[in-house]
Amino acid sequence: MRSLSGIPYGQSLTYEVPVDLQWGTYWWHSHVGAQYVDGLRAPMIVHPPTEVHAYDEEYTIILSDWYNEQQKVLIKQFMNIYNPTGAEPVPNNAAIYVAQNGSYLPGFAENATMTFVPGKTYRLRIINQSAFAMFYAWLDGHDMTIIEADGTDTEPYAVDHLSLSVAQRYSVLVTAKNDTSTNYVFQALFDSTMFDTVPDDLQLNYTIPVQYSPSAPYGIKETKDTLEMTMDQLLVPTIVEEQLVATRNISLGVYFDTFDDGINRAAFNNITFQLPSTPSLFTELSMGNASNTPRIYGEQTHAYVLQKNEVIDLMIINWDANSHPFHLHGHKYQIVRVAQDVSSNDTTLNPPHTEGAANPMRRDTVVVPAGGAYNVRFVADNPGTWIFHCHIEWHLEAGLAVVFVEAPDEAQQTITIPQVMKDQCATLGIASTGNVAGKNSTSDFSGEAKGPFPQKNGWRPRAIGALAGTILAALFGMGAVVWYAFGGQLDAEDVADEVRREIAAKKDGGLIRRNVVKGWRGMTKKSD
């Protein structure tokens, strides 16, 4: 992602991530193009000095979709004028696997096994590392209790099953039975309602064996009559933080439509995100006082400049017909309002904005339902540039993102770009200073991305011209019919002359009639 440059082929970059103030269940992944779709992703578990909840052992369960084709091919098929509805690529399979104590267990899904010892309490860390798919997950025959979401420890919250959209993480506690006569399975089910089509050969349900005894039979696999979204706004963090009082409001409306380039794209407030030529962080750090001006980051970057310690109330209104998982880099936000239907007069579906919550839930990825809205709040206390985006990778590629530029003045005083990163930018031909176009200017933006833009409604000049031509052709046609009706038909000699002309024109196979030169037959096409 163009907050920084990528790492050139054959080179390396060391990331230093402070973990003294954060812990929990995370994952790392590439944000250059859609590379993580091809597998450049993995869990990252951070343990605190003292765990809030006691347990004996833990497993990390990775849920992800899998495509047989590489992401570059899939993006070309998706971002294409021949895909006017914006139908996302449907995965070919799911890649479900398990890690414990820093190592992956052998096998995938039904070929992997989690061993349970009677009476022990297990922490199951569940991560959705997909490109697109949401999963429902549960453990047959066992109770599950949520104790963490996206790195936020919570008070225990019992659930029958979980919903995990892309980038979401949950930890649940499960107490093993004191009986080894039966083995069970952990189930993960694709939410197939997300797919425009469900291929006949697509497996929707996947299982991981949970083994008490190698010789014991497996119980009957459970089915769920209803599957519901996990109500994350009902979770209560163990560390109390009162609801923030907003000092600035930002509203982002989610739209999908065919833009003026003929491609179905995504947009916040009708602006579809395009990568800036210069990484936004480098612009923030190199443009002095001008770094406080959103324009220098590029119109298609859709940047919002936030001043130090502003409290942002971010309202995401989803005008699309599908739900979307929205993720903010560099922050966790408070969930302060959830509306299931922003057009409803029913306050249970569209509640009013309220203040003064004692301890609202905090996480970094929320799922905004179709036709609904989330209000989240965070403090702009982390200088730098942070992208906010839909974590369905195809929708990020389609432009569903904005960039928050935080505290430029402080960033310039506290952040230093390592020389190795500047050198890697040079290797990739990317500017490491200047505005969106790599120029030290507040007015010269030549070279920056322009558009695409939403289509303009109403009659445009080309459409008017086409309509005029159609009307003229219709009038000439009607005139010909009238002329023919009043005796304007050809006589026998006229017909004979026309036939002779047609025969003469076909001596070269009709090529002369199509204005193709006679020598064409002897020519061969040059290779491209």
Side-chain angles (χ1 to χ4, degrees), residues 351-430:
H353 298 259
T354 59
E355 301 291 339
N359 187 22
M361 180 56 190
R362 303 183 298 276
R363 67 182 314 175
D364 59 39
T365 305
V366 296
V367 181
V368 183
Y374 261 65
N375 281 73
V376 296
R377 290 185 185 176
F378 65 96
V379 182
D381 57 2
N382 192 7
T385 55
W386 306 108
I387 191 166
F388 174 76
H389 64 98
C390 178
H391 221 302
I392 292 175
E393 184 60 29
W394 312 124
H395 297 168
L396 175 55
E397 294 298 318
L400 198 50
V402 300
V403 172
F404 292 120
V405 180
E406 283 191 45
D409 296 334
E410 181 172 329
Q412 292 172 15
Q413 299 299 318
T414 59
I415 300 175
T416 301
I417 299 295
Q419 186 60 44
V420 63
M421 297 181 72
K422 297 178 181 179
D423 294 341
Q424 289 180 348
C425 276
T427 299
L428 295 169
I430 297 172

Side-chain angles (χ1 to χ4, degrees), residues 66-251:
W66 186 254
Y67 293 84
N68 294 338
E69 194 63 77
Q70 288 194 326
Q71 49 90 14
K72 287 185 178 180
V73 175
L74 295 171
I75 289 173
K76 289 181 180 179
Q77 295 171 352
F78 173 56
M79 301 295 293
N80 194 298
I81 61 173
Y82 300 108
N83 183 28
T85 64
E88 301 89 350
V90 177
N92 300 100
N93 213 314
I96 312 293
Y97 46 108
V98 183
Q100 187 179 39
N101 299 325
S103 299
Y104 291 118
L105 301 185
F108 289 84
E110 66 273 7
N111 295 316
T113 299
M114 293 188 292
T115 300
F116 272 22
V117 175
K120 282 191 173 183
T121 298
Y122 291 86
R123 179 176 186 158
L124 304 182
R125 300 178 185 266
I126 308 166
I127 307 173
N128 187 344
Q129 295 182 177
S130 296
F132 179 30
M134 189 179 88
F135 286 90
Y136 295 102
W138 64 92
L139 175 55
D140 285 0
H142 295 72
D143 297 324
M144 297 193 308
T145 302
I146 295 175
I147 59 166
E148 180 224 351
D150 296 356
T152 298
D153 292 317
T154 69
E155 299 294 340
Y157 187 85
V159 290
D160 176 69
H161 62 275
L162 293 169
S163 65
L164 294 101
S165 194
V166 180
Q168 290 191 311
R169 297 93 62 202
Y170 284 104
S171 285
V172 296
L173 291 184
V174 175
T175 299
K177 295 179 177 295
N178 288 312
D179 179 2
T180 62
S181 63
T182 304
N183 294 323
Y184 299 88
V185 293
F186 177 90
Q187 297 198 51
L189 177 69
F190 271 142
D191 176 15
S192 61
T193 63
M194 296 184 65
F195 307 151
D196 278 52
T197 60
V198 180
D200 293 337
D201 61 349
L202 177 61
Q203 179 182 338
L204 297 178
N205 182 269
Y206 299 82
T207 59
I208 301 171
V210 176
Q211 188 179 94
Y212 282 87
S213 171
S215 59
Y218 281 85
I220 297 174
K221 193 164 71 170
E222 295 179 5
T223 58
K224 301 293 183 185
D225 294 332
T226 58
L227 292 168
E228 298 177 343
M229 298 292 292
T230 301
M231 305 291 283
D232 55 1
Q233 71 271 26
L234 300 181
L235 300 177
V236 179
T238 57
I239 298 177
V240 177
E241 291 184 12
E242 294 182 1
Q243 180 175 342
L244 298 166
V245 177
T247 60
R248 181 177 176 183
N249 297 290
I250 297 174
S251 179

